[in-house]
Amino acid sequence: MAAGEEEGSAAEPEQEPAAEEQPRSFKDLGVTDVLCEACDQLGWKVPTKIQIEAIPVALQGRDVIGLAETGSGKTGAFALPILQALLETPQRLFALVLTPTRELAFQISEQFEALGSSIGVQTTVIVGGIDTMSQSLALAKKPHVIIATPGRLVDHLENTKGFNLRALKFLVMDEADRILNMDFETEVDKILKVIPRDRKTFLFSATMTKKVQKLQRAALKNPVKCAVSSKYQTVEKLQQYYIFIPSKFKDSYLVYILNELAGNSFMIFCSTCNNTQRTALLLRNLGFTAIPLHGQMSQNKRLGSLNKFKAKARSILLATDVASRGLDIPHVDVVINFDIPTHSKDYIHRVGRTARAGRSGKSITFVTQYDVELFQRIEHLIGKKLPAFPMQEEEVMMLTERVAEAQRLARMELREQGEKKRSRNDDDDTEEAIGVRNKVAGGKKKKRKA
């Protein structure tokens, strides 16, 4: 990290010793009464493992490295100490939380607002895909907590007049491994250079990569390491299956499984935005309540999809890996890896969308003739052989005709959507050209009058 090794200590972080008697409540961890009440209203009855490890250390004023699997309650582990410190010394622009994705930023903001509702906490979300002017106005009001993606925050630090983070007291890097994997390293460096060295820093990550270790040395001072999961693993209550199928019948097998497990809510992961959109259209043509979520959708549409699924207005969410990390959707019953992930670690994050908070869940991974090696890598990573999901091949084959017709309609709709998009872009270009011509013409008239 260019932000200067001298900023943090290069020493290995202390390992927090296991508590002799596990705390049974947030009050036992040292959380103040007003925040304990907020936890209770949110339905957080007992703290999770990472909260038990991290909250007491953070309340003592130490820097924290939290290593925990997805769905482990990390947001509470850093939000509660920040809110408690804010109660003790109220101040604007108090904390900054960096996250890799827009959806995760909005979700963290919701949790801060819910936990801090009784103490009047104000948060602002600063992410791409939203008008910068309205964000500049929100920053001018100096919220207590900013939740941001690194790229857009750097834009504001460089271009928004009067905005700075020189008084910042807390920095949180959530999903740090993914922030760095998405090549935000330069932006993180820039942010570290313009915030105070005298601050508390919490770094949360599912994995301890070399890049995360480097960031830890640059950004944290004598941190305490709170690890609740040192190896890659999936939760015990998750039933994991695979199905081995010919690539050309993938759609038919998907429809078969959705029929077999009807009544459940599904998250289906696809590898590309285009395949996510295509599969959503295909399923809609067959009468399923499916909705897509991917990076080529506008921010409003992405949040709309997420909220409809959360509110159970739709039972199937098709997504790219934009939704595999951090998003807390409480009622996912089944995760389907329609396209197998190319990185084995992404499998852990995808299937972590189900069987959360002690509930059970299922995951089914589609393995075609082209995916065998990738699937073997996943089994090696999680340290277990997965059983095959029981299938009736004849019933799948009976679906092929209806599926073929739905595929044809989906292709037509995709083409139409593409043409509409192109024509909108052409209209925008034409309007811009007309605007430029009018300005030029206006300038010439003024000259003639002069």
Side-chain angles (χ1 to χ4, degrees):
M1 277 279 149
E5 299 290 332
E6 78 279 7
E7 185 171 22
S9 161
E12 272 303 296
E14 291 174 30
Q15 187 79 44
E16 181 64 4
E20 284 174 32
E21 191 186 330
Q22 290 286 48
R24 290 175 297 281
S25 69
F26 286 97
K27 194 166 178 60
D28 293 341
L29 299 179
V31 176
T32 191
D33 289 346
V34 65
L35 293 174
C36 286
E37 282 168 31
C39 292
D40 203 45
Q41 283 166 5
L42 278 177
W44 297 4
K45 301 299 179 197
V46 289
T48 65
K49 285 180 186 172
I50 189 64
Q51 289 164 354
I52 289 167
E53 294 276 330
I55 289 173
V57 175
L59 290 174
Q60 288 164 18
R62 299 291 300 273
D63 283 5
V64 172
I65 295 173
L67 293 178
E69 64 202 20
T70 185
S72 59
K74 285 183 289 182
T75 307
F78 61 75
L80 287 166
I82 288 172
L83 292 171
Q84 190 148 321
L86 183 60
L87 264 174
E88 288 161 11
T89 53
Q91 179 198 304
R92 296 289 178 163
L93 297 174
F94 189 73
L96 167 66
V97 182
L98 293 177
T99 79
T101 68
R102 302 168 186 183
E103 284 72 25
L104 187 51
F106 281 103
Q107 184 179 292
I108 291 169
S109 170
E110 281 168 18
Q111 293 214 337
F112 262 102
E113 284 176 0
L115 286 168
S117 57
S118 60
I119 59 173
V121 166
Q122 290 165 359
T123 69
T124 291
V125 176
I126 301 297
V127 295
I130 289 174
D131 169 48
T132 51
M133 184 51 73
S134 59
Q135 290 180 346
S136 298
L137 293 170
L139 290 172
K141 291 177 184 168
K142 298 195 171 173
H144 300 106
V145 182
I146 296 170
I147 300 105
T149 47
R152 180 54 68 93
L153 183 74
V154 168
D155 279 353
H156 283 286
L157 284 166
E158 291 175 347
N159 303 311
T160 298
K161 201 174 175 184
F163 170 59
N164 66 68
L165 293 170
R166 288 197 284 270
L168 195 75
K169 292 286 182 276
F170 282 87
L171 170 68
V172 180
M173 286 174 276
D174 192 23
E175 305 278 7
D177 51 347
R178 193 153 173 231
I179 288 175
L180 299 174
N181 282 348
M182 290 167 76
D183 292 329
F184 281 130
E185 214 165 337
T186 310
E187 285 82 352
V188 171
D189 270 343
K190 285 180 179 176
I191 292 162
L192 288 176
K193 279 178 183 168
V194 297
I195 62 175
R197 290 184 178 189
D198 185 20
R199 61 164 196 270
K200 301 288 173 282
T201 307
F202 304 151
L203 187 152
F204 282 84
S205 185
T207 58
M208 182 50 93
T209 62
K210 284 195 174 77
K211 281 183 176 180
V212 173
Q213 283 176 330
K214 191 177 170 191
L215 176 60
Q216 168 224 311
R217 286 195 296 274
L220 282 79
K221 291 178 187 166
N222 302 321
V224 177
K225 186 176 178 184
C226 302
V228 297
S229 170
S230 55
K231 68 181 198 315
Y232 298 112
Q233 59 188 42
T234 48
V235 292
E236 289 162 24
K237 290 197 175 182
L238 174 66
Q239 299 171 296
Q240 301 172 79
Y241 300 95
Y242 77 94
I243 53 171
F244 187 61
I245 51 175
S247 165
K248 66 177 179 180
F249 293 124
K250 264 176 101 170
D251 289 344
S252 299
Y253 276 88
L254 178 62
V255 174
Y256 170 82
I257 282 175
L258 293 175
N259 283 330
E260 279 294 293
L261 301 176
N264 288 297
S265 61
F266 298 86
M267 273 188 84
I268 301 171
F269 283 100
C270 302
S271 56
T272 64
C273 298
N274 193 57
N275 203 26
T276 306
Q277 193 70 25
R278 181 200 72 84
T279 313
L281 292 170
L282 167 90
L283 294 177
R284 280 184 199 167
N285 289 330
L286 290 164
F288 293 99
T289 56
I291 196 160
L293 174 69
H294 56 76
Q296 285 178 5
M297 292 163 68
S298 72
Q299 188 57 39
N300 283 343
K301 281 190 176 166
R302 280 161 72 166
L303 285 174
S305 287
L306 203 51
N307 290 335
K308 278 178 190 167
F309 186 67
K310 275 185 172 181
K312 304 190 182 182
R314 300 287 185 278
S315 62
I316 301 168
L317 181 69
L318 289 112
T320 53
D321 281 311
V322 77
S324 71
R325 293 279 287 266
L327 295 189
D328 184 27
I329 304 164
H331 64 277
V332 180
D333 302 314
V334 184
V335 166
I336 297 176
N337 288 305
F338 184 61
D339 293 327
I340 199 164
T342 44
H343 300 294
S344 309
K345 289 172 199 170
D346 287 336
Y347 173 84
I348 308 279
H349 300 302
R350 286 182 180 189
V351 300
R353 299 303 93 217
T354 185
R356 289 168 82 82
R359 287 184 289 269
S360 58
K362 275 191 183 69
S363 73
I364 301 168
T365 299
F366 283 31
V367 184
T368 71
Q369 63 270 38
Y370 310 113
D371 305 324
V372 177
E373 193 181 329
L374 288 171
F375 180 62
Q376 286 170 338
R377 277 189 217 156
I378 288 167
E379 287 191 321
H380 178 71
L381 181 76
I382 61 175
K384 59 172 85 168
K385 289 271 179 203
L386 299 190
F389 186 78
M391 306 280 294
Q392 298 293 329
E393 310 288 333
E394 320 81 64
E395 288 182 32
V396 178
M397 291 303 113
M398 284 163 67
L399 294 166
T400 51
E401 210 169 300
R402 274 178 59 218
V403 169
E405 177 58 15
Q407 286 171 332
R408 190 182 66 79
L409 291 171
R411 280 195 297 272
M412 279 167 56
E413 286 170 74
L414 262 185
R415 257 200 311 275
E416 280 168 25
Q417 285 176 3
E419 281 163 16
K420 272 185 194 163
K421 207 172 182 182
R422 275 195 295 278
S423 107
R424 265 202 310 273
N425 290 342
D426 290 346
D427 288 347
D428 290 347
D429 291 345
T430 307
E431 274 177 34
E432 206 173 303
I434 290 167
V436 170
R437 269 208 309 276
N438 289 344
K439 274 185 190 169
V440 171
K444 282 179 181 169
K445 276 182 193 168
K446 277 181 190 170
K447 276 183 187 172
R448 276 205 292 276
K449 277 184 186 170

